[in-house]
Amino acid sequence: DGVFDGTAIKRITLPLTLQHIGKRSFANMLLQVLTIPDTVTTIEEEDFAGNKYLTQVKVGKGVNSMGLGVFKGCSSLRKFTGDTAAVDGTAVVIDGRLMTIIPAITDSRYTIPYEVKSIAPFALAYITLKTLYFDNADTEISSGSLAYCPSLYNIVGSKYLKSDTSIVVDGELLWGQTQKDKRVDIDSSITAIGAYTFAGCKVKTVH
Protein backbone atom coordinates (compact mmCIF):
# COMPACT_ATOMS: atom_id res chain seq x y z
CA ASP A 1 0.00 0.00 0.00
CA GLY A 2 1.11 3.58 -0.74
CA VAL A 3 4.22 2.40 -2.59
CA PHE A 4 4.67 5.55 -4.69
CA ASP A 5 2.27 7.88 -2.86
CA GLY A 6 3.43 11.50 -3.14
CA THR A 7 6.41 10.91 -5.43
CA ALA A 8 7.16 13.23 -8.38
CA ILE A 9 7.02 10.47 -11.00
CA LYS A 10 5.36 11.61 -14.25
CA ARG A 11 5.31 8.35 -16.17
CA ILE A 12 5.05 4.74 -15.08
CA THR A 13 4.66 1.44 -16.93
CA LEU A 14 2.76 -1.20 -15.01
CA PRO A 15 4.06 -4.76 -15.60
CA LEU A 16 1.87 -7.14 -17.60
CA THR A 17 2.07 -9.64 -14.73
CA LEU A 18 0.44 -7.24 -12.24
CA GLN A 19 -2.84 -8.49 -10.77
CA HIS A 20 -3.53 -6.38 -7.68
CA ILE A 21 -2.89 -2.71 -6.90
CA GLY A 22 -2.83 -1.90 -3.16
CA LYS A 23 -4.40 1.15 -1.53
CA ARG A 24 -3.04 4.55 -2.61
CA SER A 25 -0.14 2.90 -4.43
CA PHE A 26 0.06 5.65 -7.04
CA ALA A 27 -1.74 8.50 -5.30
CA ASN A 28 -0.64 12.16 -5.42
CA MET A 29 1.91 11.71 -8.17
CA LEU A 30 2.48 13.70 -11.36
CA LEU A 31 1.12 11.10 -13.78
CA GLN A 32 -0.32 12.41 -17.05
CA VAL A 33 -1.31 9.24 -18.94
CA LEU A 34 -1.98 5.81 -17.46
CA THR A 35 -2.52 2.31 -18.83
CA ILE A 36 -3.76 -0.43 -16.50
CA PRO A 37 -3.01 -3.84 -18.06
CA ASP A 38 -5.62 -6.54 -18.66
CA THR A 39 -3.98 -8.73 -16.00
CA VAL A 40 -5.08 -6.42 -13.17
CA THR A 41 -8.24 -7.67 -11.44
CA THR A 42 -8.37 -5.47 -8.31
CA ILE A 43 -7.81 -1.74 -7.87
CA GLU A 44 -8.09 -0.65 -4.25
CA GLU A 45 -9.13 2.53 -2.46
CA GLU A 46 -7.75 5.84 -3.79
CA ASP A 47 -5.06 4.08 -5.84
CA PHE A 48 -4.61 6.98 -8.25
CA ALA A 49 -6.24 9.73 -6.20
CA GLY A 50 -4.79 13.22 -6.32
CA ASN A 51 -3.07 12.88 -9.69
CA LYS A 52 -4.19 16.35 -10.77
CA TYR A 53 -2.29 16.25 -14.07
CA LEU A 54 -3.73 12.91 -15.19
CA THR A 55 -5.72 13.48 -18.40
CA GLN A 56 -6.24 10.04 -19.93
CA VAL A 57 -6.61 6.51 -18.56
CA LYS A 58 -6.94 3.12 -20.23
CA VAL A 59 -8.39 0.50 -17.87
CA GLY A 60 -7.80 -3.15 -18.71
CA LYS A 61 -10.72 -5.48 -19.28
CA GLY A 62 -9.67 -7.83 -16.45
CA VAL A 63 -10.66 -5.43 -13.66
CA ASN A 64 -13.59 -6.75 -11.61
CA SER A 65 -13.25 -4.63 -8.47
CA MET A 66 -12.51 -0.95 -7.88
CA GLY A 67 -12.33 0.59 -4.42
CA LEU A 68 -13.63 3.89 -3.13
CA GLY A 69 -12.29 7.06 -4.77
CA VAL A 70 -9.82 5.43 -7.16
CA PHE A 71 -9.57 8.65 -9.21
CA LYS A 72 -10.67 11.10 -6.52
CA GLY A 73 -9.15 14.53 -7.05
CA CYS A 74 -7.95 13.78 -10.60
CA SER A 75 -9.36 17.10 -11.75
CA SER A 76 -7.82 17.01 -15.25
CA LEU A 77 -9.07 13.53 -16.15
CA ARG A 78 -11.35 13.98 -19.13
CA LYS A 79 -11.28 10.66 -20.94
CA PHE A 80 -11.12 6.90 -20.54
CA THR A 81 -9.86 4.99 -23.58
CA GLY A 82 -9.64 1.43 -24.82
CA ASP A 83 -12.13 -1.43 -25.00
CA THR A 84 -13.53 -0.75 -21.51
CA ALA A 85 -14.38 2.90 -22.15
CA ALA A 86 -18.00 3.94 -22.74
CA VAL A 87 -18.79 5.41 -26.16
CA ASP A 88 -18.30 9.00 -24.98
CA GLY A 89 -15.20 8.18 -22.92
CA THR A 90 -16.72 9.37 -19.63
CA ALA A 91 -16.97 5.96 -17.98
CA VAL A 92 -15.38 2.55 -17.61
CA VAL A 93 -17.81 -0.28 -18.42
CA ILE A 94 -16.64 -3.90 -18.08
CA ASP A 95 -19.00 -6.74 -19.05
CA GLY A 96 -21.93 -4.34 -18.80
CA ARG A 97 -20.96 -3.12 -15.32
CA LEU A 98 -20.25 0.56 -14.70
CA MET A 99 -17.02 0.69 -12.69
CA THR A 100 -16.32 4.44 -12.51
CA ILE A 101 -16.87 7.74 -14.30
CA ILE A 102 -14.54 10.69 -14.76
CA PRO A 103 -14.43 12.86 -11.64
CA ALA A 104 -14.33 16.11 -13.58
CA ILE A 105 -17.90 16.01 -14.89
CA THR A 106 -18.52 19.62 -15.92
CA ASP A 107 -22.29 19.26 -15.96
CA SER A 108 -24.29 18.62 -12.80
CA ARG A 109 -26.23 16.00 -14.76
CA TYR A 110 -25.05 12.62 -16.00
CA THR A 111 -26.74 9.91 -18.05
CA ILE A 112 -25.91 6.27 -17.35
CA PRO A 113 -25.33 4.79 -20.83
CA TYR A 114 -27.86 2.26 -22.14
CA GLU A 115 -25.11 -0.37 -22.41
CA VAL A 116 -24.72 -0.41 -18.61
CA LYS A 117 -26.49 -3.40 -17.04
CA SER A 118 -25.36 -2.76 -13.45
CA ILE A 119 -23.51 -0.21 -11.33
CA ALA A 120 -20.59 -1.29 -9.15
CA PRO A 121 -20.21 -0.06 -5.55
CA PHE A 122 -18.62 3.41 -5.33
CA ALA A 123 -18.78 3.91 -9.10
CA LEU A 124 -20.14 7.45 -8.65
CA ALA A 125 -18.38 8.36 -5.40
CA TYR A 126 -17.18 11.94 -4.93
CA ILE A 127 -18.72 13.13 -8.20
CA THR A 128 -20.57 16.46 -7.92
CA LEU A 129 -23.72 15.21 -9.59
CA LYS A 130 -27.15 16.65 -8.86
CA THR A 131 -29.23 14.69 -11.35
CA LEU A 132 -28.69 11.15 -12.58
CA TYR A 133 -30.52 9.85 -15.66
CA PHE A 134 -30.87 6.21 -16.71
CA ASP A 135 -31.07 5.42 -20.43
CA ASN A 136 -31.91 1.85 -19.47
CA ALA A 137 -34.58 1.58 -16.77
CA ASP A 138 -33.50 -2.01 -16.01
CA THR A 139 -29.92 -1.10 -15.02
CA GLU A 140 -29.29 -2.88 -11.73
CA ILE A 141 -28.42 -0.87 -8.62
CA SER A 142 -26.82 -2.54 -5.61
CA SER A 143 -25.56 -1.58 -2.15
CA GLY A 144 -22.99 1.19 -2.44
CA SER A 145 -23.75 2.05 -6.06
CA LEU A 146 -24.88 5.55 -5.09
CA ALA A 147 -22.68 6.02 -2.00
CA TYR A 148 -20.70 9.19 -1.31
CA CYS A 149 -22.81 11.34 -3.64
CA PRO A 150 -23.71 14.23 -1.29
CA SER A 151 -25.02 16.50 -4.07
CA LEU A 152 -27.28 13.93 -5.75
CA TYR A 153 -30.94 14.81 -5.21
CA ASN A 154 -32.70 13.71 -8.38
CA ILE A 155 -32.80 10.35 -10.19
CA VAL A 156 -34.74 9.86 -13.41
CA GLY A 157 -35.57 6.78 -15.46
CA SER A 158 -34.80 3.89 -13.11
CA LYS A 159 -37.46 1.25 -12.48
CA TYR A 160 -36.25 1.11 -8.87
CA LEU A 161 -37.21 4.73 -8.21
CA LYS A 162 -39.97 5.05 -5.63
CA SER A 163 -42.02 8.26 -5.24
CA ASP A 164 -39.17 10.18 -6.92
CA THR A 165 -37.28 10.27 -3.63
CA SER A 166 -35.74 6.85 -3.06
CA ILE A 167 -34.24 3.80 -4.73
CA VAL A 168 -35.66 0.53 -3.39
CA VAL A 169 -34.70 -2.94 -4.62
CA ASP A 170 -36.63 -5.92 -3.23
CA GLY A 171 -37.58 -3.93 -0.12
CA GLU A 172 -34.01 -2.72 0.49
CA LEU A 173 -33.43 1.03 0.58
CA LEU A 174 -30.32 1.87 -1.46
CA TRP A 175 -30.67 5.66 -1.81
CA GLY A 176 -32.80 8.36 -0.25
CA GLN A 177 -33.21 11.97 -1.35
CA THR A 178 -31.67 14.09 1.40
CA GLN A 179 -31.33 17.56 -0.10
CA LYS A 180 -34.55 19.40 0.73
CA ASP A 181 -34.65 19.22 4.53
CA LYS A 182 -31.93 16.63 5.12
CA ARG A 183 -34.58 14.25 6.43
CA VAL A 184 -35.39 10.78 5.11
CA ASP A 185 -38.68 9.07 5.88
CA ILE A 186 -38.63 5.29 5.79
CA ASP A 187 -42.07 3.75 5.38
CA SER A 188 -43.26 0.29 6.35
CA SER A 189 -42.52 -1.18 2.91
CA ILE A 190 -38.78 -0.86 3.57
CA THR A 191 -37.46 -4.05 5.12
CA ALA A 192 -33.73 -3.29 5.03
CA ILE A 193 -31.23 -0.49 4.48
CA GLY A 194 -28.34 -1.35 2.20
CA ALA A 195 -24.67 -0.96 3.05
CA TYR A 196 -23.37 2.60 2.47
CA THR A 197 -26.88 3.87 1.64
CA PHE A 198 -26.29 7.20 3.40
CA ALA A 199 -22.49 7.18 3.35
CA GLY A 200 -21.19 10.67 2.59
CA CYS A 201 -24.68 12.16 2.42
CA LYS A 202 -25.97 15.23 4.26
CA VAL A 203 -28.88 13.51 5.98
CA LYS A 204 -29.59 14.73 9.50
CA THR A 205 -32.77 12.87 10.37
CA VAL A 206 -33.99 9.38 9.52
CA HIS A 207 -37.61 8.70 10.45
Side-chain angles (χ1 to χ4, degrees):
D1 294 354
V3 179
F4 296 101
D5 190 352
T7 61
I9 296 173
K10 295 182 179 180
R11 182 182 180 90
I12 193 166
T13 300
L14 301 180
L16 298 180
T17 54
L18 186 65
Q19 296 181 348
H20 177 272
I21 304 176
K23 293 179 181 179
R24 301 185 62 84
S25 291
F26 303 98
N28 302 305
M29 296 170 64
L30 302 179
L31 298 178
Q32 298 176 6
V33 178
L34 173 69
T35 297
I36 300 172
D38 290 341
T39 54
V40 173
T41 59
T42 304
I43 303 174
E44 289 200 17
E45 183 176 338
E46 296 188 1
D47 265 333
F48 302 100
N51 275 278
K52 60 183 180 180
Y53 300 109
L54 188 62
T55 60
Q56 185 173 302
V57 175
K58 180 180 179 181
V59 178
K61 57 188 177 183
V63 174
N64 56 43
S65 176
M66 295 181 77
L68 175 63
V70 169
F71 297 106
K72 179 184 178 182
C74 297
S75 54
S76 297
L77 182 55
R78 294 290 187 274
K79 186 178 183 180
F80 290 109
T81 63
D83 295 339
T84 62
V87 175
D88 60 1
T90 62
V92 173
V93 181
I94 299 176
D95 294 330
R97 194 181 197 201
L98 178 68
M99 304 301 293
T100 189
I101 67 175
I102 58 173
I105 293 289
T106 55
D107 197 337
S108 61
R109 300 176 297 175
Y110 184 75
T111 300
I112 303 294
Y114 187 85
E115 65 199 86
V116 173
K117 298 177 182 177
S118 64
I119 304 175
F122 314 127
L124 306 175
Y126 303 122
I127 309 300
T128 55
L129 293 174
K130 292 183 178 180
T131 302
L132 189 64
Y133 293 91
F134 283 79
D135 266 353
N136 185 349
D138 293 327
T139 296
E140 295 179 4
I141 301 171
S142 58
S143 294
S145 293
L146 304 173
Y148 297 96
C149 295
S151 300
L152 183 62
Y153 71 92
N154 191 27
I155 293 179
V156 179
S158 172
K159 72 177 184 180
Y160 301 112
L161 186 62
K162 180 179 179 181
S163 302
D164 296 327
T165 59
S166 59
I167 292 291
V168 179
V169 179
D170 296 330
E172 184 177 22
L173 180 66
L174 300 181
W175 175 81
Q177 205 263 46
T178 63
Q179 296 300 304
K180 291 181 179 179
D181 55 11
K182 298 182 175 59
R183 166 177 168 150
V184 174
D185 292 311
I186 300 177
D187 63 36
S188 59
S189 67
I190 304 298
T191 57
I193 299 176
Y196 302 101
T197 292
F198 297 113
C201 293
K202 298 176 181 178
V203 61
K204 289 184 177 180
T205 304
V206 177
H207 182 265

